[in-house]
Amino acid sequence: MHAEIRSSQGRNVSNAINDVNRETPSKIYMQNDGRYVVQGNNGRVHILEQSGEIVTTMNKVTNFNDRVRKGRYIPLAESQKMDFVKKFDQYLNSSWNSYRPD
C-alpha cells in the first residue's frame, strides 16, 4: 500500500492505516471521480486512490453527512465492497468477512 511507502519516508500515515483497519463497510464511500472515501474517527476523512495511494487526510470534517446527502460521497455497492476487499484485505478487520472470497 502507498501508505507503507510514505511511512518509510517519514510521513505520518498511521491514522489513515488505522482508520482503514478499524472501519466497517458502512464507513467506506466513493467520490464521483472513483476515489475511495474512508470516514475515520474524530471527524477524519481519508481520500484514497483506487491503487491505495493516500491522496489526503482531512481533519475535523463537520459536513460529512451533507456530502453524502448531496451525492458527493456515495455508499459503496456490494460489488464495490468486494473490490475494496481485494485491494485492501490485509488492512481490514473481521467486519469485512462476508466480502472475502471463501
Side-chain angles (χ1 to χ4, degrees), residues 5-51:
I5 295 168
R6 292 293 182 240
S7 180
S8 71
Q9 296 170 339
R11 293 183 58 186
N12 183 2
V13 295
S14 61
N15 283 338
I17 293 171
N18 290 338
D19 285 343
V20 167
N21 176 264
R22 183 181 309 118
E23 296 312 332
T24 61
S26 66
K27 298 286 188 164
I28 312 297
Y29 297 80
M30 188 168 286
Q31 294 186 144
N32 290 331
D33 63 5
R35 291 175 171 161
Y36 291 111
V37 178
V38 178
Q39 184 183 17
N41 285 344
N42 302 319
R44 279 191 308 270
V45 174
H46 311 283
I47 308 298
L48 308 176
E49 292 285 0
Q50 290 278 329
S51 65

Side-chain angles (χ1 to χ4, degrees), residues 38-87:
V38 178
Q39 184 183 17
N41 285 344
N42 302 319
R44 279 191 308 270
V45 174
H46 311 283
I47 308 298
L48 308 176
E49 292 285 0
Q50 290 278 329
S51 65
E53 179 180 348
I54 299 170
V55 176
T56 192
T57 294
M58 299 176 285
N59 292 305
K60 306 295 182 200
V61 174
T62 58
N63 64 343
F64 189 88
N65 290 334
D66 287 339
R67 293 176 188 209
V68 172
R69 188 175 42 75
K70 292 177 181 177
R72 185 168 176 192
Y73 298 161
I74 304 160
L76 295 183
E78 296 301 300
S79 62
Q80 292 170 316
K81 291 175 185 176
M82 293 173 135
D83 288 342
F84 189 82
V85 167
K86 287 177 189 173
K87 294 173 184 176

Side-chain angles (χ1 to χ4, degrees), residues 87-99:
K87 294 173 184 176
F88 301 101
D89 190 37
Q90 72 187 60
Y91 301 101
L92 302 176
N93 62 46
S94 62
S95 69
W96 289 86
N97 284 348
S98 63
Y99 300 99

